[in-house]
Amino acid sequence: MRVKVISRSTDEFTRERSQDLQRVFRNFDPNLRPQEKAVEYVRALNAAKLEKIFARPFVGAMDGHIDAVSCMAKNPNHLKGVFSGSMDGDVRLWDLATRRTVRQFPGHQGAVRGLTVSTDGRILVSCGTDCTLRLWKVPGDTLLESDDGSGNSSQPLAVYVWKNAFWGVDHQWDGDLFATAGAQVDIWNHNRSQPVNSFEWGNDTVTSVRFNPGELNLLATSASDRSINIYDLRMSTPARKVIMRTKTNSIAWNPMEPMNFTAANDDGKCYSYDVRKLNEAKCVHKDHVSSVMDIDYSPTGREFVTGSYDRTVRIFQYNGGHSREIYHTKRMQRVFCVKFSCDASYIISGSDDTNLRLWKAKASEQLGVVLPRERKKHEYLEAVKNRYKHLAEVKRIVRHRHLPKPIYKATKQIREMTESERRRAGRRKAHSAPGSIQNEPLRTSRIIKEIE
């Protein structure tokens, strides 16, 4: 007679220490749990509700400027250092950990319109409407150096006076060149007081400039004639140009997909383009109700943040038509500049009320040390919520956002206008000869023409 005996090692179920968690063995046979989907649905519902309960995106405000914050720059060598420039000519270095000013860089006599940091993180370049370009030495490895004025860091390393005001500046991702935007696009070197190259396409003011993160010699600019221009430093003439119906205020390249960039437009929308095909936008990102002033991509390349004249900050998926998050406070005024932190965990916004504000990229993310068991719990709840996100109740809770009354009313009005225009176009097409009227998608209707 054969007897089956259950045998197992004591190492599999005994705890090494009394503080350890008791090991639990589960049989994952779906036939043993007929209510598994119902249980997971309830967990997804509770996870969506808990996300709303723990949503506390605002971390703190950094006060110190006495005029509107007009531009910001990140230091690629320091995770917690960020530079800001204001309309009164003040440039500051902030420590995000303590939310205090580490150093001031005085000297500009007008509004600071552009800030950028060199590839090695040692040189800060600032420019403004006083027609000057200033190079500063960035403090060393310790951001906690006192601003005693004894070092060279509070005095500019070089001052270049030019004949036109500057509206933006950007440094190569890897190299010694930086570009300024103004009456024309000028390419500068750290060691020369005159531009090494200049580009001009038309007589309009260039308002922003951005270098490509993958192709170092490629840069994109936006101008006041509603155009987006692509320049190649290896060519003596500009490469391509696309003219839109409204003005573009800022441009950001996707760091993970360097062939794609997103333009922040005056019509309250952002347009993502493939630089190889500029006659059609890849995606249109809606939700803002006023001009989008600034845009910045996350280092992961999966989402970007925008700041708008409607006094809100929104976070979009790189391929999403609507924002996944909106941040606002009662005291925050028109947002002129936004930045993702270098670790994609925080967002910094600068607004008209002289303050910089620090936000969490994920509103309900737990700050501080997260234990491995807690991290696994968060990952599980996120996976369950993502699995049942298409169901009506979970979708309603996840999508719900509290909006300020002016934003809510403006959104409702824009929706009514869009729906009215759609009905009017449908009636016009129904009462016209077949084929005489073609529906033009929004991705191409906002583009007037492309010039090569």
Side-chain angles (χ1 to χ4, degrees):
M1 176 176 136
R2 304 178 78 182
V3 179
K4 291 185 178 180
V5 179
I6 299 176
S7 62
R8 57 180 179 173
S9 172
T10 56
D11 296 336
E12 295 180 357
F13 61 89
T14 55
R15 294 180 293 179
E16 294 182 0
R17 294 182 296 272
S18 60
Q19 293 85 3
D20 292 348
L21 296 174
Q22 189 72 44
R23 295 188 181 185
V24 179
F25 297 91
R26 295 186 176 90
N27 188 342
F28 292 100
D29 184 5
N31 296 324
L32 299 177
R33 297 188 302 281
Q35 296 295 319
E36 181 184 14
K37 286 191 175 181
V39 172
E40 281 193 343
Y41 170 71
V42 174
R43 288 176 180 171
L45 208 59
N46 291 335
K49 293 176 181 177
L50 284 173
E51 187 182 31
K52 294 299 174 188
I53 292 174
F54 292 114
R56 298 288 186 274
F58 182 66
V59 178
M62 293 176 279
D63 189 13
H65 286 294
I66 59 175
D67 207 340
V69 181
S70 55
C71 55
M72 287 191 298
K74 295 179 289 188
N75 191 335
N77 279 8
H78 295 292
L79 190 63
K80 61 179 183 175
V82 64
F83 297 91
S84 67
S86 68
M87 302 294 279
D88 64 340
D90 187 20
V91 179
R92 290 173 181 250
L93 170 60
W94 300 86
D95 183 7
L96 296 181
T98 59
R99 300 199 293 275
R100 291 189 298 109
T101 301
V102 176
R103 181 148 302 187
Q104 288 182 260
F105 303 92
H108 281 284
Q109 302 299 318
V112 180
R113 284 296 182 177
L115 291 174
T116 187
V117 182
S118 62
T119 309
D120 56 7
R122 298 179 181 177
I123 302 295
L124 169 70
V125 182
S126 65
C127 64
T129 56
D130 58 353
C131 305
T132 61
L133 195 66
R134 296 173 184 265
L135 274 61
W136 313 83
K137 181 182 177 183
V138 176
D141 295 334
T142 58
L143 286 178
L144 299 178
E145 297 179 14
S146 61
D147 187 13
D148 53 4
S150 59
N152 295 326
S153 54
S154 58
Q155 297 295 326
L157 298 175
V159 179
Y160 304 146
V161 181
W162 197 231
K163 53 190 175 183
N164 299 309
F166 295 106
W167 287 89
V169 64
D170 192 44
H171 202 283
Q172 273 186 323
W173 286 62
D174 188 12
D176 295 329
L177 301 179
F178 60 93
T180 57
Q184 59 187 6
V185 178
D186 296 315
I187 311 301
W188 302 73
N189 191 300
H190 289 179
N191 303 318
R192 295 187 60 179
S193 59
Q194 295 290 326
V196 296
N197 200 354
S198 295
F199 294 100
E200 189 174 2
W201 198 343
N203 298 320
D204 292 275
T205 303
V206 182
T207 55
S208 69
V209 58
R210 289 289 181 273
F211 270 100
N212 188 295
E215 182 53 63
L216 304 180
N217 293 310
L218 201 67
L219 57 93
T221 66
S222 63
S224 57
D225 63 346
R226 312 187 306 277
S227 66
I228 299 173
N229 305 307
I230 306 296
Y231 296 94
D232 193 335
L233 302 186
R234 296 164 296 188
M235 301 171 60
S236 58
T237 58
R240 304 177 74 184
K241 180 177 187 177
V242 58
I243 300 176
M244 302 187 67
R245 295 189 182 275
T246 47
K247 185 167 71 79
T248 298
N249 294 313
S250 184
I251 292 175
W253 293 92
N254 189 331
M256 293 292 109
E257 299 174 356
M259 75 290 292
N260 299 331
F261 67 90
T262 304
N265 209 269
D266 251 355
D267 61 356
K269 300 180 181 64
C270 296
Y271 300 88
S272 291
Y273 289 95
D274 189 327
V275 75
R276 300 165 296 186
K277 187 182 178 183
L278 290 176
N279 59 349
E280 181 182 3
K282 290 186 63 177
C283 185
V284 180
H285 313 274
K286 314 173 191 176
D287 272 348
H288 280 296
V289 298
S290 188
S291 299
V292 186
M293 303 304 294
D294 197 17
I295 182 173
D296 188 48
Y297 260 95
S298 165
T300 62
R302 310 309 291 176
E303 56 189 17
F304 59 88
V305 61
T306 59
S308 173
Y309 218 66
D310 61 10
R311 299 178 293 181
T312 62
V313 174
R314 290 184 184 264
I315 304 174
F316 292 84
Q317 298 290 339
Y318 78 105
N319 57 357
H322 295 276
S323 60
R324 72 161 179 87
E325 198 64 79
I326 175 173
Y327 295 155
H328 57 88
T329 65
K330 287 185 177 180
R331 296 184 180 183
M332 186 165 69
Q333 298 301 312
R334 297 165 295 193
V335 182
F336 289 143
C337 50
V338 287
K339 289 291 180 187
F340 252 105
S341 64
C342 292
D343 61 351
S345 297
Y346 296 96
I347 288 167
I348 308 103
S349 66
S351 55
D352 203 11
D353 58 308
T354 74
N355 276 2
L356 277 80
R357 287 178 172 82
L358 190 64
W359 314 82
K360 290 189 285 187
K362 295 181 180 178
S364 58
E365 187 178 19
Q366 180 179 340
L367 293 178
V369 178
V370 180
L371 299 177
R373 193 163 175 234
E374 291 177 321
R375 187 176 65 252
K376 289 181 180 179
K377 177 70 171 178
H378 294 329
E379 292 173 354
Y380 170 73
L381 292 179
E382 189 66 29
V384 169
K385 189 176 61 179
N386 190 53
R387 182 178 183 181
Y388 293 93
K389 65 182 180 181
H390 62 282
L391 297 181
E393 190 66 14
V394 177
K395 183 191 292 187
R396 183 188 66 83
I397 296 172
V398 170
R399 289 183 58 188
H400 176 74
R401 295 290 182 276
H402 172 71
L403 296 176
K405 186 177 284 188
I407 305 294
Y408 179 79
K409 288 185 175 180
T411 304
K412 186 177 180 181
Q413 185 179 13
I414 291 174
R415 191 180 299 120
E416 291 175 354
M417 292 166 59
T418 306
E419 183 65 21
S420 175
E421 182 64 30
R422 188 189 64 80
R423 288 197 306 267
R424 188 182 302 114
R427 290 168 185 160
R428 188 182 296 116
K429 185 176 181 179
H431 291 82
S432 301
S436 61
I437 295 181
Q438 299 292 334
N439 288 335
E440 192 175 9
L442 185 60
R443 290 175 297 159
T444 58
S445 63
R446 303 299 298 177
I447 300 174
I448 296 178
K449 63 178 178 178
E450 180 188 5
I451 306 173
E452 294 188 12

